Amino acid sequence: MKNSGPTRHRDGEPRHPGDVVPAQATPEGRTRHEVARLLLEDGPIAAGVVADRLGISPTAVRRHLDALLADGEAETRDAPRRGPRGRGRPAKLFLLTETGRARFGHAYDDLAVSAIRFLAEHAGEEAVRAFAESRVAALVEPHRAAVAEADGPAHRAEALAAALTREGYAASARQVGASATGAGAQLCQHHCPVAHVAAEFPQLCEAETEAFARLLGTHVQRLATIARGDAACTTHVPAENPPGLQAKAPDGGERE
């Protein structure tokens, strides 16, 4: 059978499954990579906003978005309507697909999924849970001191976002006011290196959420995950613990 070799993006660069694709060698490729990065970090996002952020023409942005759509790296959603329904089609927002996220690398492959399946079958669900807890501990422990130094859960969320970004999660944190979930901060991970694995083994997400709660010293609520098809993994970090829950120190112990 003839080997067809690696597939290629429209910018001419080869793509192997799971490859980390760096900023491209050509100006066209670099621009497309920056368009994709904005979709990763801020999607769903409008084409006009992409043009403004990158300082390029709407026509150029549309060309890159059309190429990402054609390659299966991006998809669209209808923008929420505000005010009375007007004529015409609703505005489109763009975000990356799982194929598009592969531009920025993945820390998993079929072998990882197979290995955890084997662990579940031969050692049971508790072994999978223990593995998930061990993995997330290795992720957050090097950053515990830096996060603990921040004053209060919201500022610790910002420190945690910076730490997760260094680990490849393209994370951010923003303050939120009174809402259905209450005041505090929202921690967003715009990239998940193990999303495919977590889609089959949610223990990875559960262990991560629990580790964040211990690290931040407060109860947290996971609102969305990439593994479930959301645009980002979003965790609400309340400014104060709900009534009846005792505040925890950032090391996971109870405050005096």
Side-chain angles (χ1 to χ4, degrees):
M1 180 180 294
K2 183 178 179 180
N3 185 356
S4 59
T7 59
R8 290 183 178 270
H9 291 286
R10 289 175 175 266
D11 51 29
E13 295 294 325
R15 180 183 68 198
H16 299 269
D19 276 358
V20 176
V21 181
Q24 311 296 338
T26 66
E28 183 86 348
R30 286 195 294 271
T31 302
R32 187 160 306 160
H33 195 72
E34 288 306 307
V35 170
R37 182 174 292 280
L38 271 182
L39 267 59
L40 170 74
E41 295 180 351
D42 293 331
I45 188 171
V49 177
V50 175
D52 289 341
R53 295 273 184 88
L54 297 182
I56 58 179
S57 71
T59 301
V61 167
R62 175 62 63 179
R63 184 176 70 252
H64 290 296
L65 290 173
D66 286 346
L68 292 170
L69 289 168
D71 285 337
E73 293 189 55
E75 60 185 0
T76 62
R77 293 180 182 174
D78 289 341
R81 290 184 181 273
R82 292 181 174 85
R85 181 180 295 273
R87 292 184 177 181
R89 297 178 179 177
K92 295 291 185 183
L93 300 179
F94 296 81
L95 66 159
L96 289 187
T97 63
E98 196 57 38
T99 299
R101 292 177 188 277
R103 273 183 172 259
F104 303 92
H106 289 298
Y108 61 83
D109 54 18
D110 290 342
L111 179 61
V113 175
S114 297
I116 300 179
R117 284 176 184 164
F118 183 90
L119 186 66
E121 292 172 4
H122 293 270
E125 294 300 317
E126 286 302 316
V128 176
R129 178 74 182 181
F131 167 78
E133 292 173 350
S134 174
R135 178 191 172 276
V136 74
L139 173 70
V140 302
E141 283 302 324
H143 309 286
R144 179 175 295 280
V147 174
E149 288 175 359
D151 183 20
H155 289 100
R156 286 197 286 270
E158 294 175 355
L160 177 56
L164 290 171
T165 295
R166 290 194 292 272
E167 297 289 346
Y169 285 78
S172 63
R174 64 184 181 90
Q175 302 298 311
V176 294
S179 66
T181 52
Q186 280 194 356
L187 173 68
C188 293
Q189 297 155 256
H190 303 281
H191 178 54
C192 177
V194 295
H196 278 169
V197 181
E200 183 169 344
F201 297 99
Q203 296 95 324
L204 294 173
C205 295
E206 294 164 4
E208 185 179 85
T209 303
E210 292 172 6
F212 287 177
R214 291 192 297 271
L215 190 61
L216 297 172
T218 185
H219 170 78
V220 302
Q221 182 181 1
R222 183 59 64 89
L223 304 178
T225 64
I226 294 171
R228 292 200 303 256
D230 298 303
C233 297
T234 305
T235 305
H236 180 73
V237 182
E240 298 180 356
N241 271 299
L245 285 181
Q246 187 169 2
K248 292 180 177 295
D251 62 359
E254 295 182 349
R255 292 191 183 277
E256 297 292 339

